[in-house]
Amino acid sequence: MSTPTPFERTVVVVPTYNEGAMVGTVVAELREVFPHVVCVDDGSRDDSAQAARAAGATVLRHPVNLGQGAALQTGFDYVLGRTTASHVVTFDADGQYLVADAAAMVELAVASEVDIVLGSRNLGSTEGQPVARRVLMAAALRFSRSITGIRLTDTHNGLRVLNRRAAASMNLRQHGMAHASEIESRIVGASLSWREHPVTMRYSDYSRGKGQSNLNALNILYDLAAERLGATA
Amino acid sequence: MIIRVFLLASILVGVAWLLRTRPGGSRLAITRLAGFVLAAGAAASVVAPGLVTDAAHLVGVREGPNLILYVLVVVFVFTTIVQGMRMRELERRLAQLARAQALAGAAAAADEQQRV
């Protein structure tokens, strides 16, 4: 048996919630490069789990819907507890990301030996992003820079590569969408080394329809504030 | 007015206390004690409505019912915060439970595959 390649030593975690129409394609594309794909089905009411399994993914199923942050944490727990993978990729199920970007980021993580590689749409290119979303993301970026103090060029980008140390430092408590801010603050808290890598985002009609509403930014702010106040307890 | 100091201070102290202490025996006891005091006050106000007015005048509120409203607002703020925190704790436990089940399911599926 030959030494496993970096891609064979990587597990891709795909949080999935009612993505039956898309998740099969996404998993199939991922599996062309990454043999180990884990879908965390977050209590979907459609056939997401079957579609993912049919495309060759391992499916972990939350019996109830918890949120994307919780699904990611389940993925991290699985990778840390049940596999010997060196790296874990977080990848969205709605087809916004390119597998080629994930592969390039794994290669960067292995070659540079940083703990976490974050995708950045601002270093790369973004197709079809609505103007309102662009304005919102710019504001979110300024906010997150001032909170975490690390100079990222993008925030809340779902494409990331973590090594085992980074995955073990996560322990996400934000079950909703605020987990992305939480991941950034863990980078500071656990002194993780990080890099950014340009990624291309494909905002399709499907992903726009499936994605978060801009108003959800308010919920993220609220969750973060509640967490911060409660942190002293 | 004494009432302003009292209301603002009680909200601030209460919120700080809630956020800085661990939920547990003594906090539960104090909350329950406060509940009894409130109930006693309510009973007293029914038996002797004049008492509420006297108490209101004592702290600089014109009428008794106003004082009751103010106190209820403080109680409501506390209750909301306590319920919110309890809900978050429950959600955390639910997530742990769901996660454990998801991982157990994956392990069972892996065993199945090995046997085949």
Side-chain angles (χ1 to χ4, degrees), chain A residues 58-64 66 69-71 73-74 77-78 82 172-173 175 223 226-227 229-230 232-233, chain B residues 18-23 27 85 88 91-99 101-108:
Chain A
T58 302
V59 175
L60 310 179
R61 185 168 162 74
H62 286 170
V64 290
L66 297 173
Q73 187 57 48
T74 298
D77 284 3
Y78 175 82
R82 302 284 162 85
L172 301 175
R173 291 154 53 109
H175 301 153
D223 287 344
E227 175 73 24
L229 283 172
T232 50
Chain B
L18 279 180
L19 294 180
R20 296 205 164 268
T21 56
R22 296 201 155 276
R27 192 160 104 180
M85 292 169 79
R88 272 158 46 90
E91 278 173 7
R92 198 180 62 80
R93 291 186 193 183
L94 176 67
Q96 286 175 340
L97 185 64
R99 188 164 294 142
Q101 208 209 5
L103 293 173

mmCIF file of all heavy atoms in Angstrom, chain A residues 58-64 66 69-71 73-74 77-78 82 172-173 175 223 226-227 229-230 232-233, chain B residues 18-23 27 85 88 91-99 101-108:
data_model
loop_
_atom_site.group_PDB
_atom_site.id
_atom_site.type_symbol
_atom_site.label_atom_id
_atom_site.label_comp_id
_atom_site.label_asym_id
_atom_site.label_seq_id
_atom_site.Cartn_x
_atom_site.Cartn_y
_atom_site.Cartn_z
ATOM 1 N N THR A 58 -20.485 9.543 3.648
ATOM 2 C CA THR A 58 -20.916 9.024 4.946
ATOM 3 C C THR A 58 -21.907 10.038 5.498
ATOM 4 O O THR A 58 -21.641 11.233 5.445
ATOM 5 C CB THR A 58 -19.720 8.928 5.908
ATOM 6 O OG1 THR A 58 -18.742 8.081 5.320
ATOM 7 C CG2 THR A 58 -20.150 8.372 7.259
ATOM 8 N N VAL A 59 -23.048 9.573 5.989
ATOM 9 C CA VAL A 59 -24.061 10.513 6.466
ATOM 10 C C VAL A 59 -24.215 10.393 7.979
ATOM 11 O O VAL A 59 -24.433 9.302 8.508
ATOM 12 C CB VAL A 59 -25.418 10.271 5.773
ATOM 13 C CG1 VAL A 59 -26.491 11.185 6.364
ATOM 14 C CG2 VAL A 59 -25.291 10.511 4.278
ATOM 15 N N LEU A 60 -24.040 11.521 8.671
ATOM 16 C CA LEU A 60 -24.369 11.611 10.087
ATOM 17 C C LEU A 60 -25.677 12.370 10.167
ATOM 18 O O LEU A 60 -25.827 13.393 9.506
ATOM 19 C CB LEU A 60 -23.296 12.381 10.868
ATOM 20 C CG LEU A 60 -21.850 11.975 10.691
ATOM 21 C CD1 LEU A 60 -20.965 12.867 11.536
ATOM 22 C CD2 LEU A 60 -21.666 10.528 11.087
ATOM 23 N N ARG A 61 -26.594 11.853 10.963
ATOM 24 C CA ARG A 61 -27.908 12.497 10.940
ATOM 25 C C ARG A 61 -28.312 13.030 12.309
ATOM 26 O O ARG A 61 -28.451 12.279 13.266
ATOM 27 C CB ARG A 61 -28.947 11.496 10.439
ATOM 28 C CG ARG A 61 -30.296 12.132 10.268
ATOM 29 C CD ARG A 61 -31.275 11.263 9.519
ATOM 30 N NE ARG A 61 -32.632 11.722 9.755
ATOM 31 C CZ ARG A 61 -33.145 12.823 9.210
ATOM 32 N NH1 ARG A 61 -32.416 13.553 8.379
ATOM 33 N NH2 ARG A 61 -34.360 13.205 9.487
ATOM 34 N N HIS A 62 -28.520 14.351 12.398
ATOM 35 C CA HIS A 62 -29.131 14.931 13.585
ATOM 36 C C HIS A 62 -30.612 14.592 13.564
ATOM 37 O O HIS A 62 -31.263 14.843 12.549
ATOM 38 C CB HIS A 62 -28.994 16.458 13.593
ATOM 39 C CG HIS A 62 -27.617 16.949 13.904
ATOM 40 N ND1 HIS A 62 -27.244 18.260 13.757
ATOM 41 C CD2 HIS A 62 -26.522 16.309 14.374
ATOM 42 C CE1 HIS A 62 -25.983 18.410 14.117
ATOM 43 N NE2 HIS A 62 -25.527 17.235 14.494
ATOM 44 N N PRO A 63 -31.145 14.047 14.657
ATOM 45 C CA PRO A 63 -32.571 13.720 14.650
ATOM 46 C C PRO A 63 -33.459 14.953 14.572
ATOM 47 O O PRO A 63 -34.599 14.885 14.129
ATOM 48 C CB PRO A 63 -32.782 12.983 15.980
ATOM 49 C CG PRO A 63 -31.605 13.337 16.814
ATOM 50 C CD PRO A 63 -30.473 13.637 15.893
ATOM 51 N N VAL A 64 -32.948 16.108 15.022
ATOM 52 C CA VAL A 64 -33.705 17.361 14.913
ATOM 53 C C VAL A 64 -32.783 18.423 14.326
ATOM 54 O O VAL A 64 -31.568 18.298 14.367
ATOM 55 C CB VAL A 64 -34.221 17.857 16.287
ATOM 56 C CG1 VAL A 64 -35.318 16.953 16.810
ATOM 57 C CG2 VAL A 64 -33.082 17.935 17.281
ATOM 58 N N LEU A 66 -30.633 21.585 14.243
ATOM 59 C CA LEU A 66 -29.943 22.350 15.290
ATOM 60 C C LEU A 66 -29.332 23.629 14.749
ATOM 61 O O LEU A 66 -29.197 24.609 15.459
ATOM 62 C CB LEU A 66 -28.828 21.509 15.910
ATOM 63 C CG LEU A 66 -29.229 20.226 16.635
ATOM 64 C CD1 LEU A 66 -27.988 19.452 17.033
ATOM 65 C CD2 LEU A 66 -30.062 20.535 17.856
ATOM 66 N N GLY A 69 -23.878 25.647 12.689
ATOM 67 C CA GLY A 69 -22.747 25.576 13.619
ATOM 68 C C GLY A 69 -22.701 24.238 14.323
ATOM 69 O O GLY A 69 -21.645 23.608 14.439
ATOM 70 N N ALA A 70 -23.863 23.776 14.768
ATOM 71 C CA ALA A 70 -23.944 22.494 15.459
ATOM 72 C C ALA A 70 -23.563 21.361 14.514
ATOM 73 O O ALA A 70 -22.897 20.402 14.911
ATOM 74 C CB ALA A 70 -25.345 22.287 16.009
ATOM 75 N N ALA A 71 -23.988 21.477 13.250
ATOM 76 C CA ALA A 71 -23.667 20.430 12.277
ATOM 77 C C ALA A 71 -22.163 20.363 12.041
ATOM 78 O O ALA A 71 -21.576 19.275 11.973
ATOM 79 C CB ALA A 71 -24.407 20.693 10.965
ATOM 80 N N GLN A 73 -19.852 21.212 14.148
ATOM 81 C CA GLN A 73 -19.206 20.661 15.338
ATOM 82 C C GLN A 73 -19.352 19.140 15.376
ATOM 83 O O GLN A 73 -18.422 18.435 15.751
ATOM 84 C CB GLN A 73 -19.787 21.298 16.599
ATOM 85 C CG GLN A 73 -19.061 20.899 17.875
ATOM 86 C CD GLN A 73 -17.579 21.228 17.827
ATOM 87 O OE1 GLN A 73 -17.178 22.329 17.468
ATOM 88 N NE2 GLN A 73 -16.737 20.252 18.161
ATOM 89 N N THR A 74 -20.519 18.649 14.955
ATOM 90 C CA THR A 74 -20.697 17.195 14.870
ATOM 91 C C THR A 74 -19.684 16.608 13.890
ATOM 92 O O THR A 74 -19.075 15.572 14.159
ATOM 93 C CB THR A 74 -22.133 16.867 14.409
ATOM 94 O OG1 THR A 74 -23.046 17.377 15.378
ATOM 95 C CG2 THR A 74 -22.336 15.373 14.275
ATOM 96 N N ASP A 77 -16.291 16.555 15.590
ATOM 97 C CA ASP A 77 -16.234 15.476 16.585
ATOM 98 C C ASP A 77 -16.026 14.129 15.899
ATOM 99 O O ASP A 77 -15.262 13.291 16.374
ATOM 100 C CB ASP A 77 -17.533 15.437 17.409
ATOM 101 C CG ASP A 77 -17.586 16.547 18.447
ATOM 102 O OD1 ASP A 77 -16.644 17.370 18.471
ATOM 103 O OD2 ASP A 77 -18.555 16.600 19.221
ATOM 104 N N TYR A 78 -16.733 13.959 14.777
ATOM 105 C CA TYR A 78 -16.601 12.698 14.040
ATOM 106 C C TYR A 78 -15.176 12.509 13.534
ATOM 107 O O TYR A 78 -14.566 11.462 13.719
ATOM 108 C CB TYR A 78 -17.581 12.676 12.864
ATOM 109 C CG TYR A 78 -17.448 11.471 11.976
ATOM 110 C CD1 TYR A 78 -18.049 10.265 12.314
ATOM 111 C CD2 TYR A 78 -16.703 11.537 10.797
ATOM 112 C CE1 TYR A 78 -17.912 9.143 11.513
ATOM 113 C CE2 TYR A 78 -16.564 10.421 9.985
ATOM 114 C CZ TYR A 78 -17.171 9.232 10.346
ATOM 115 O OH TYR A 78 -17.028 8.132 9.545
ATOM 116 N N ARG A 82 -13.382 9.522 15.220
ATOM 117 C CA ARG A 82 -13.569 8.289 14.460
ATOM 118 C C ARG A 82 -12.597 8.121 13.304
ATOM 119 O O ARG A 82 -12.649 7.118 12.608
ATOM 120 C CB ARG A 82 -14.995 8.233 13.893
ATOM 121 C CG ARG A 82 -16.083 8.309 14.920
ATOM 122 C CD ARG A 82 -16.214 6.980 15.642
ATOM 123 N NE ARG A 82 -16.927 7.131 16.898
ATOM 124 C CZ ARG A 82 -18.260 7.113 17.007
ATOM 125 N NH1 ARG A 82 -18.985 6.950 15.951
ATOM 126 N NH2 ARG A 82 -18.826 7.267 18.172
ATOM 127 N N LEU A 172 -17.576 24.514 19.043
ATOM 128 C CA LEU A 172 -18.499 25.592 18.720
ATOM 129 C C LEU A 172 -19.734 25.547 19.609
ATOM 130 O O LEU A 172 -20.356 24.515 19.779
ATOM 131 C CB LEU A 172 -18.932 25.497 17.249
ATOM 132 C CG LEU A 172 -17.797 25.573 16.241
ATOM 133 C CD1 LEU A 172 -18.332 25.343 14.837
ATOM 134 C CD2 LEU A 172 -17.090 26.899 16.333
ATOM 135 N N ARG A 173 -20.071 26.679 20.197
ATOM 136 C CA ARG A 173 -21.280 26.784 21.019
ATOM 137 C C ARG A 173 -22.386 27.505 20.279
ATOM 138 O O ARG A 173 -23.542 27.452 20.686
ATOM 139 C CB ARG A 173 -20.956 27.522 22.319
ATOM 140 C CG ARG A 173 -20.049 26.725 23.258
ATOM 141 C CD ARG A 173 -19.261 27.655 24.148
ATOM 142 N NE ARG A 173 -20.134 28.585 24.833
ATOM 143 C CZ ARG A 173 -20.382 28.519 26.139
ATOM 144 N NH1 ARG A 173 -19.833 27.590 26.863
ATOM 145 N NH2 ARG A 173 -21.162 29.398 26.705
ATOM 146 N N HIS A 175 -24.863 27.569 17.637
ATOM 147 C CA HIS A 175 -25.437 26.553 16.775
ATOM 148 C C HIS A 175 -25.949 27.121 15.460
ATOM 149 O O HIS A 175 -26.057 26.428 14.486
ATOM 150 C CB HIS A 175 -26.561 25.828 17.511
ATOM 151 C CG HIS A 175 -26.091 25.172 18.766
ATOM 152 N ND1 HIS A 175 -26.881 24.938 19.841
ATOM 153 C CD2 HIS A 175 -24.868 24.736 19.116
ATOM 154 C CE1 HIS A 175 -26.176 24.364 20.796
ATOM 155 N NE2 HIS A 175 -24.947 24.240 20.390
ATOM 156 N N ASP A 223 -26.836 36.965 18.693
ATOM 157 C CA ASP A 223 -26.251 35.747 19.259
ATOM 158 C C ASP A 223 -24.872 36.024 19.835
ATOM 159 O O ASP A 223 -24.512 35.529 20.902
ATOM 160 C CB ASP A 223 -26.149 34.651 18.189
ATOM 161 C CG ASP A 223 -27.518 34.080 17.851
ATOM 162 O OD1 ASP A 223 -28.450 34.302 18.633
ATOM 163 O OD2 ASP A 223 -27.630 33.415 16.811
ATOM 164 N N ALA A 226 -25.183 38.064 23.051
ATOM 165 C CA ALA A 226 -25.659 37.219 24.152
ATOM 166 C C ALA A 226 -24.532 36.324 24.653
ATOM 167 O O ALA A 226 -24.350 36.138 25.853
ATOM 168 C CB ALA A 226 -26.843 36.378 23.693
ATOM 169 N N GLU A 227 -23.779 35.773 23.711
ATOM 170 C CA GLU A 227 -22.668 34.892 24.075
ATOM 171 C C GLU A 227 -21.631 35.651 24.887
ATOM 172 O O GLU A 227 -21.116 35.180 25.891
ATOM 173 C CB GLU A 227 -22.033 34.322 22.806
ATOM 174 C CG GLU A 227 -20.799 33.491 23.047
ATOM 175 C CD GLU A 227 -21.132 32.134 23.648
ATOM 176 O OE1 GLU A 227 -22.264 31.668 23.454
ATOM 177 O OE2 GLU A 227 -20.264 31.577 24.330
ATOM 178 N N LEU A 229 -22.008 38.416 26.692
ATOM 179 C CA LEU A 229 -22.509 38.757 28.028
ATOM 180 C C LEU A 229 -22.524 37.531 28.927
ATOM 181 O O LEU A 229 -22.184 37.604 30.097
ATOM 182 C CB LEU A 229 -23.931 39.329 27.924
ATOM 183 C CG LEU A 229 -24.025 40.775 27.448
ATOM 184 C CD1 LEU A 229 -25.472 41.143 27.214
ATOM 185 C CD2 LEU A 229 -23.408 41.701 28.483
ATOM 186 N N GLY A 230 -22.925 36.413 28.336
ATOM 187 C CA GLY A 230 -23.038 35.190 29.127
ATOM 188 C C GLY A 230 -21.697 34.536 29.403
ATOM 189 O O GLY A 230 -21.595 33.644 30.229
ATOM 190 N N THR A 232 -19.214 35.403 30.996
ATOM 191 C CA THR A 232 -18.668 35.550 32.337
ATOM 192 C C THR A 232 -19.309 34.575 33.316
ATOM 193 O O THR A 232 -18.793 34.360 34.395
ATOM 194 C CB THR A 232 -18.898 36.984 32.844
ATOM 195 O OG1 THR A 232 -20.266 37.300 32.651
ATOM 196 C CG2 THR A 232 -18.040 37.975 32.118
ATOM 197 N N ALA A 233 -20.456 34.036 32.924
ATOM 198 C CA ALA A 233 -21.190 33.163 33.855
ATOM 199 C C ALA A 233 -20.402 31.880 34.132
ATOM 200 O O ALA A 233 -19.638 31.443 33.306
ATOM 201 C CB ALA A 233 -22.561 32.831 33.291
ATOM 202 N N LEU B 18 -27.185 37.932 37.650
ATOM 203 C CA LEU B 18 -27.585 36.781 36.834
ATOM 204 C C LEU B 18 -26.437 36.310 35.952
ATOM 205 O O LEU B 18 -26.201 35.120 35.789
ATOM 206 C CB LEU B 18 -28.770 37.152 35.951
ATOM 207 C CG LEU B 18 -30.152 37.119 36.599
ATOM 208 C CD1 LEU B 18 -31.189 37.518 35.579
ATOM 209 C CD2 LEU B 18 -30.433 35.729 37.122
ATOM 210 N N LEU B 19 -25.737 37.280 35.368
ATOM 211 C CA LEU B 19 -24.719 36.909 34.391
ATOM 212 C C LEU B 19 -23.425 36.454 35.061
ATOM 213 O O LEU B 19 -22.649 35.724 34.458
ATOM 214 C CB LEU B 19 -24.435 38.091 33.452
ATOM 215 C CG LEU B 19 -25.610 38.480 32.557
ATOM 216 C CD1 LEU B 19 -25.230 39.645 31.661
ATOM 217 C CD2 LEU B 19 -26.042 37.302 31.709
ATOM 218 N N ARG B 20 -23.199 36.892 36.286
ATOM 219 C CA ARG B 20 -21.908 36.593 36.903
ATOM 220 C C ARG B 20 -21.933 35.411 37.851
ATOM 221 O O ARG B 20 -20.895 34.955 38.293
ATOM 222 C CB ARG B 20 -21.367 37.834 37.631
ATOM 223 C CG ARG B 20 -21.082 38.961 36.662
ATOM 224 C CD ARG B 20 -20.046 39.918 37.170
ATOM 225 N NE ARG B 20 -19.568 40.717 36.069
ATOM 226 C CZ ARG B 20 -18.517 40.400 35.344
ATOM 227 N NH1 ARG B 20 -17.804 39.340 35.638
ATOM 228 N NH2 ARG B 20 -18.148 41.156 34.334
ATOM 229 N N THR B 21 -23.123 34.942 38.198
ATOM 230 C CA THR B 21 -23.155 33.778 39.074
ATOM 231 C C THR B 21 -23.500 32.538 38.262
ATOM 232 O O THR B 21 -24.071 32.635 37.190
ATOM 233 C CB THR B 21 -24.223 33.935 40.175
ATOM 234 O OG1 THR B 21 -25.481 34.172 39.542
ATOM 235 C CG2 THR B 21 -23.895 35.090 41.097
ATOM 236 N N ARG B 22 -23.121 31.407 38.799
ATOM 237 C CA ARG B 22 -23.496 30.151 38.143
ATOM 238 C C ARG B 22 -24.892 29.773 38.592
ATOM 239 O O ARG B 22 -25.224 29.949 39.763
ATOM 240 C CB ARG B 22 -22.524 29.033 38.548
ATOM 241 C CG ARG B 22 -21.119 29.301 38.073
ATOM 242 C CD ARG B 22 -20.330 28.005 38.027
ATOM 243 N NE ARG B 22 -19.248 28.129 37.073
ATOM 244 C CZ ARG B 22 -19.383 27.929 35.774
ATOM 245 N NH1 ARG B 22 -20.550 27.597 35.275
ATOM 246 N NH2 ARG B 22 -18.362 28.070 34.966
ATOM 247 N N PRO B 23 -25.697 29.270 37.650
ATOM 248 C CA PRO B 23 -27.004 28.807 38.086
ATOM 249 C C PRO B 23 -26.799 27.623 39.019
ATOM 250 O O PRO B 23 -26.039 26.718 38.715
ATOM 251 C CB PRO B 23 -27.690 28.393 36.781
ATOM 252 C CG PRO B 23 -26.598 28.259 35.783
ATOM 253 C CD PRO B 23 -25.456 29.086 36.249
ATOM 254 N N ARG B 27 -28.468 30.426 43.968
ATOM 255 C CA ARG B 27 -29.198 31.354 43.114
ATOM 256 C C ARG B 27 -30.677 30.985 43.053
ATOM 257 O O ARG B 27 -31.556 31.841 43.114
ATOM 258 C CB ARG B 27 -28.610 31.358 41.705
ATOM 259 C CG ARG B 27 -29.143 32.498 40.881
ATOM 260 C CD ARG B 27 -28.266 32.790 39.718
ATOM 261 N NE ARG B 27 -28.858 32.281 38.507
ATOM 262 C CZ ARG B 27 -28.297 32.392 37.326
ATOM 263 N NH1 ARG B 27 -27.110 32.963 37.218
ATOM 264 N NH2 ARG B 27 -28.867 31.918 36.260
ATOM 265 N N MET B 85 -31.647 32.350 29.378
ATOM 266 C CA MET B 85 -30.456 31.583 29.717
ATOM 267 C C MET B 85 -30.775 30.100 29.837
ATOM 268 O O MET B 85 -30.013 29.244 29.411
ATOM 269 C CB MET B 85 -29.864 32.108 31.033
ATOM 270 C CG MET B 85 -29.286 33.503 30.880
ATOM 271 S SD MET B 85 -28.896 34.245 32.455
ATOM 272 C CE MET B 85 -27.350 33.455 32.831
ATOM 273 N N ARG B 88 -31.035 28.641 26.389
ATOM 274 C CA ARG B 88 -29.727 28.405 25.763
ATOM 275 C C ARG B 88 -29.072 27.141 26.316
ATOM 276 O O ARG B 88 -28.451 26.370 25.584
ATOM 277 C CB ARG B 88 -28.807 29.608 25.978
ATOM 278 C CG ARG B 88 -28.961 30.665 24.882
ATOM 279 C CD ARG B 88 -28.495 32.016 25.330
ATOM 280 N NE ARG B 88 -27.216 31.988 26.013
ATOM 281 C CZ ARG B 88 -26.048 32.117 25.403
ATOM 282 N NH1 ARG B 88 -26.007 32.294 24.108
ATOM 283 N NH2 ARG B 88 -24.931 32.093 26.083
ATOM 284 N N GLU B 91 -30.773 24.223 24.783
ATOM 285 C CA GLU B 91 -30.354 24.034 23.391
ATOM 286 C C GLU B 91 -28.985 23.373 23.329
ATOM 287 O O GLU B 91 -28.717 22.528 22.484
ATOM 288 C CB GLU B 91 -30.307 25.386 22.672
ATOM 289 C CG GLU B 91 -31.669 25.831 22.185
ATOM 290 C CD GLU B 91 -31.653 27.245 21.633
ATOM 291 O OE1 GLU B 91 -30.554 27.812 21.505
ATOM 292 O OE2 GLU B 91 -32.733 27.783 21.362
ATOM 293 N N ARG B 92 -28.122 23.773 24.269
ATOM 294 C CA ARG B 92 -26.779 23.183 24.315
ATOM 295 C C ARG B 92 -26.888 21.682 24.593
ATOM 296 O O ARG B 92 -26.231 20.863 23.955
ATOM 297 C CB ARG B 92 -25.964 23.881 25.403
ATOM 298 C CG ARG B 92 -24.468 23.706 25.301
ATOM 299 C CD ARG B 92 -23.758 24.443 26.419
ATOM 300 N NE ARG B 92 -24.122 23.926 27.727
ATOM 301 C CZ ARG B 92 -23.607 22.827 28.264
ATOM 302 N NH1 ARG B 92 -22.696 22.147 27.606
ATOM 303 N NH2 ARG B 92 -23.987 22.419 29.447
ATOM 304 N N ARG B 93 -27.746 21.336 25.538
ATOM 305 C CA ARG B 93 -27.896 19.919 25.865
ATOM 306 C C ARG B 93 -28.543 19.147 24.718
ATOM 307 O O ARG B 93 -28.145 18.016 24.437
ATOM 308 C CB ARG B 93 -28.766 19.764 27.119
ATOM 309 C CG ARG B 93 -28.075 20.260 28.341
ATOM 310 C CD ARG B 93 -28.874 19.968 29.581
ATOM 311 N NE ARG B 93 -28.343 20.711 30.714
ATOM 312 C CZ ARG B 93 -28.806 20.610 31.943
ATOM 313 N NH1 ARG B 93 -29.806 19.804 32.189
ATOM 314 N NH2 ARG B 93 -28.266 21.304 32.909
ATOM 315 N N LEU B 94 -29.519 19.788 24.061
ATOM 316 C CA LEU B 94 -30.163 19.131 22.930
ATOM 317 C C LEU B 94 -29.130 18.842 21.836
ATOM 318 O O LEU B 94 -29.122 17.767 21.243
ATOM 319 C CB LEU B 94 -31.277 20.022 22.375
ATOM 320 C CG LEU B 94 -31.977 19.504 21.129
ATOM 321 C CD1 LEU B 94 -32.777 18.251 21.436
ATOM 322 C CD2 LEU B 94 -32.897 20.556 20.535
ATOM 323 N N ALA B 95 -28.246 19.816 21.604
ATOM 324 C CA ALA B 95 -27.218 19.641 20.578
ATOM 325 C C ALA B 95 -26.304 18.474 20.939
ATOM 326 O O ALA B 95 -25.959 17.654 20.087
ATOM 327 C CB ALA B 95 -26.408 20.924 20.405
ATOM 328 N N GLN B 96 -25.925 18.396 22.223
ATOM 329 C CA GLN B 96 -25.047 17.297 22.639
ATOM 330 C C GLN B 96 -25.730 15.949 22.436
ATOM 331 O O GLN B 96 -25.116 14.991 21.969
ATOM 332 C CB GLN B 96 -24.665 17.461 24.112
ATOM 333 C CG GLN B 96 -23.644 18.572 24.325
ATOM 334 C CD GLN B 96 -23.362 18.804 25.789
ATOM 335 O OE1 GLN B 96 -24.157 18.427 26.649
ATOM 336 N NE2 GLN B 96 -22.235 19.421 26.078
ATOM 337 N N LEU B 97 -27.020 15.920 22.759
ATOM 338 C CA LEU B 97 -27.777 14.683 22.617
ATOM 339 C C LEU B 97 -27.883 14.278 21.153
ATOM 340 O O LEU B 97 -27.610 13.130 20.785
ATOM 341 C CB LEU B 97 -29.172 14.886 23.215
ATOM 342 C CG LEU B 97 -30.081 13.670 23.274
ATOM 343 C CD1 LEU B 97 -29.502 12.628 24.197
ATOM 344 C CD2 LEU B 97 -31.464 14.081 23.751
ATOM 345 N N ALA B 98 -28.261 15.252 20.304
ATOM 346 C CA ALA B 98 -28.418 14.962 18.878
ATOM 347 C C ALA B 98 -27.084 14.532 18.270
ATOM 348 O O ALA B 98 -27.020 13.629 17.441
ATOM 349 C CB ALA B 98 -28.959 16.194 18.158
ATOM 350 N N ARG B 99 -26.014 15.189 18.719
ATOM 351 C CA ARG B 99 -24.673 14.878 18.207
ATOM 352 C C ARG B 99 -24.290 13.450 18.596
ATOM 353 O O ARG B 99 -23.792 12.683 17.768
ATOM 354 C CB ARG B 99 -23.681 15.887 18.785
ATOM 355 C CG ARG B 99 -22.304 15.809 18.213
ATOM 356 C CD ARG B 99 -21.536 17.067 18.553
ATOM 357 N NE ARG B 99 -22.124 18.218 17.886
ATOM 358 C CZ ARG B 99 -22.232 19.412 18.438
ATOM 359 N NH1 ARG B 99 -21.805 19.630 19.667
ATOM 360 N NH2 ARG B 99 -22.762 20.401 17.747
ATOM 361 N N GLN B 101 -26.245 11.026 19.195
ATOM 362 C CA GLN B 101 -27.033 10.067 18.424
ATOM 363 C C GLN B 101 -26.521 9.952 17.001
ATOM 364 O O GLN B 101 -26.434 8.854 16.450
ATOM 365 C CB GLN B 101 -28.510 10.477 18.416
ATOM 366 C CG GLN B 101 -29.408 9.277 18.264
ATOM 367 C CD GLN B 101 -30.710 9.593 17.571
ATOM 368 O OE1 GLN B 101 -30.937 10.701 17.105
ATOM 369 N NE2 GLN B 101 -31.574 8.608 17.496
ATOM 370 N N ALA B 102 -26.147 11.104 16.405
ATOM 371 C CA ALA B 102 -25.627 11.088 15.033
ATOM 372 C C ALA B 102 -24.346 10.250 14.968
ATOM 373 O O ALA B 102 -24.170 9.439 14.055
ATOM 374 C CB ALA B 102 -25.363 12.515 14.559
ATOM 375 N N LEU B 103 -23.467 10.434 15.953
ATOM 376 C CA LEU B 103 -22.191 9.703 15.950
ATOM 377 C C LEU B 103 -22.426 8.214 16.207
ATOM 378 O O LEU B 103 -21.777 7.363 15.599
ATOM 379 C CB LEU B 103 -21.246 10.296 16.994
ATOM 380 C CG LEU B 103 -20.783 11.722 16.659
ATOM 381 C CD1 LEU B 103 -19.981 12.317 17.805
ATOM 382 C CD2 LEU B 103 -19.950 11.739 15.383
ATOM 383 N N ALA B 104 -23.379 7.900 17.099
ATOM 384 C CA ALA B 104 -23.696 6.499 17.368
ATOM 385 C C ALA B 104 -24.253 5.838 16.112
ATOM 386 O O ALA B 104 -23.928 4.698 15.797
ATOM 387 C CB ALA B 104 -24.697 6.405 18.518
ATOM 388 N N GLY B 105 -25.082 6.600 15.374
ATOM 389 C CA GLY B 105 -25.645 6.074 14.140
ATOM 390 C C GLY B 105 -24.561 5.761 13.114
ATOM 391 O O GLY B 105 -24.608 4.742 12.438
ATOM 392 N N ALA B 106 -23.566 6.645 13.041
ATOM 393 C CA ALA B 106 -22.463 6.433 12.102
ATOM 394 C C ALA B 106 -21.666 5.201 12.486
ATOM 395 O O ALA B 106 -21.269 4.403 11.629
ATOM 396 C CB ALA B 106 -21.562 7.662 12.071
ATOM 397 N N ALA B 107 -21.450 5.015 13.796
ATOM 398 C CA ALA B 107 -20.688 3.851 14.256
ATOM 399 C C ALA B 107 -21.436 2.569 13.921
ATOM 400 O O ALA B 107 -20.842 1.586 13.453
ATOM 401 C CB ALA B 107 -20.461 3.956 15.764
ATOM 402 N N ALA B 108 -22.760 2.582 14.125
ATOM 403 C CA ALA B 108 -23.564 1.398 13.826
ATOM 404 C C ALA B 108 -23.496 1.065 12.340
ATOM 405 O O ALA B 108 -23.350 -0.105 11.957
ATOM 406 C CB ALA B 108 -25.016 1.652 14.253
#
